Amino acid sequence: MPQRRKPASEVTPEYEDSGLFKNKVGQLSVELVPQMMRNGRNDLVVRGFVNRTIEIEVAFAGRRVKEVGPLEARLRAMMTHAVKKAAASGGKEPDTDHIRLPVLIEGAWRPRFKRDQAGWETRSYYLFAARWSVLDNEGNTVSFGSPPIVVASQYQD
């Protein structure tokens, strides 16, 4: 399969954002859980919940990955604290779905297709984060990321 990606030196912020933010950008309150992975492009993908029950995946991609370190560290610290607390009380290991960090995310939805074991393709969505805000330990809002330079909308308003 031919390589279609541009070399990193040729990727401008405008080009990157036009690829990431293909739909309208909006704000959404998400509760992230400490279940994370890196994909083949080194994007950070984190599980989260909207409205406390709807499971989603949030992707921090491109140049914004450089700013996701504090968020990733905070989620890991929350998991470590919960494991230590459970071990100290003699309880079982905590359920990651109950360890949640509220985050305000500005981003755009992107569809994703997965093939299940029966061969059916199911559609789910990633929320690609452009900017995100969390409360620090003192209760102050700390923001990361940057607004998209280009939003390549498929839909006309």
Side-chain angles (χ1 to χ4, degrees):
M1 179 178 270
Q3 175 64 286
R4 296 184 346 189
R5 290 173 40 189
K6 282 187 173 188
S9 61
E10 294 179 22
V11 177
T12 64
E14 293 85 1
Y15 180 81
E16 179 181 273
D17 285 358
S18 69
L20 291 175
F21 304 104
K22 294 181 183 255
N23 296 314
K24 190 174 182 178
V25 174
Q27 284 190 345
L28 188 65
S29 293
V30 179
E31 294 176 321
L32 297 179
V33 298
Q35 189 173 23
M36 304 167 275
M37 63 164 255
R38 297 272 178 176
N39 65 15
R41 294 183 178 206
N42 201 34
D43 302 333
L44 180 69
V45 180
V46 183
R47 262 184 72 235
F49 291 90
V50 176
N51 295 334
R52 305 208 43 85
T53 58
I54 302 168
E55 185 178 329
I56 66 167
E57 290 183 318
V58 180
F60 300 88
R63 67 185 185 280
R64 293 169 180 89
V65 169
K66 297 173 190 164
E67 295 185 53
V68 82
L71 179 67
E72 189 174 12
R74 179 110 175 252
L75 287 167
R76 289 189 197 286
M78 289 173 66
M79 184 64 182
T80 301
H81 176 73
V83 168
K84 286 181 181 178
K85 187 176 176 182
S89 67
K92 62 179 182 169
E93 204 169 295
D95 181 2
T96 56
D97 285 358
H98 293 98
I99 305 167
R100 298 185 179 195
L101 176 65
V103 181
L104 180 63
I105 297 176
E106 180 181 341
W109 292 103
R110 293 275 302 277
R112 170 181 148 183
F113 295 92
K114 272 181 150 174
R115 191 175 308 268
D116 64 16
Q117 292 177 346
W120 292 92
E121 284 196 353
T122 57
R123 183 183 208 160
S124 61
Y125 291 90
Y126 273 120
L127 177 62
F128 272 80
R131 292 194 294 187
W132 57 99
S133 300
V134 296
L135 294 178
D136 66 10
N137 294 333
E138 288 78 44
N140 299 314
T141 301
V142 183
S143 297
F144 300 91
S146 58
I149 295 172
V150 174
V151 177
S153 180
Q154 302 172 359
Y155 310 101
Q156 299 300 321
D157 291 319

